[in-house]
Amino acid sequence: MRVSMDADLYELYTTSDNRKFKEICKNKELLSGFFRAVNAMMAAKDTNELKNISYLHYEQLRYQYSGLSSVRLSNRYVHRLIFMENNDELTLQLLEIDNTHYGNK
């Protein structure tokens, strides 16, 4: 599947460093989760394959994020990789969801 991302995410993916995503760069678990998620997305033929990869927790979002989908970067943290699906291309965008997401308190 073809994956496109903004310049900041591309820099993070290629160099493991970016000013905008300092928190992810400093946290090895989040950084490796980011690489694992993006690589899995690039290898997948379509989003149905993403549903079968349990550690990603792929889901189509609702409410204020309607029209977007997400995968989890880590089971330990609530950071999610948010993306738009366009036919055979995924457009990535990173959103940090607060620590009360999914009932984590």
Side-chain angles (χ1 to χ4, degrees):
M1 180 171 275
R2 196 171 63 184
V3 175
S4 67
M5 55 187 93
D6 65 20
D8 289 318
L9 280 177
Y10 183 75
E11 181 182 6
L12 179 63
Y13 184 72
T14 56
T15 67
S16 301
D17 191 31
N18 182 276
R19 282 190 205 173
K20 185 176 177 182
F21 301 116
K22 286 180 187 177
E23 183 181 357
I24 292 173
C25 296
K26 291 177 183 177
N27 187 321
K28 289 185 181 193
E29 186 176 345
L30 286 177
L31 190 60
S32 76
F34 171 74
F35 291 129
R36 186 173 66 164
V38 172
N39 290 335
M41 295 166 94
M42 288 179 175
K45 293 178 186 158
D46 57 19
T47 54
N48 288 327
E49 283 189 25
L50 295 178
K51 292 176 187 176
N52 295 329
I53 303 172
S54 63
Y55 63 83
L56 290 178
H57 298 279
Y58 167 83
E59 65 179 333
Q60 292 183 332
L61 302 175
R62 299 180 293 178
Y63 308 114
Q64 73 263 28
Y65 298 111
S66 182
L68 301 173
S69 300
S70 73
V71 294
R72 220 181 251 184
L73 294 182
S74 169
N75 287 331
R76 190 175 185 195
Y77 300 96
V78 291
H79 291 75
R80 305 202 42 96
L81 189 61
I82 308 293
F83 55 92
M84 293 174 49
E85 300 175 31
N86 301 321
N87 297 330
D88 62 341
E89 181 179 9
L90 301 177
T91 305
L92 304 182
Q93 170 187 5
L94 189 68
L95 280 185
E96 181 180 347
I97 299 176
D98 66 51
N99 62 2
T100 60
H101 191 62
Y102 293 118
N104 293 340
K105 296 180 180 172

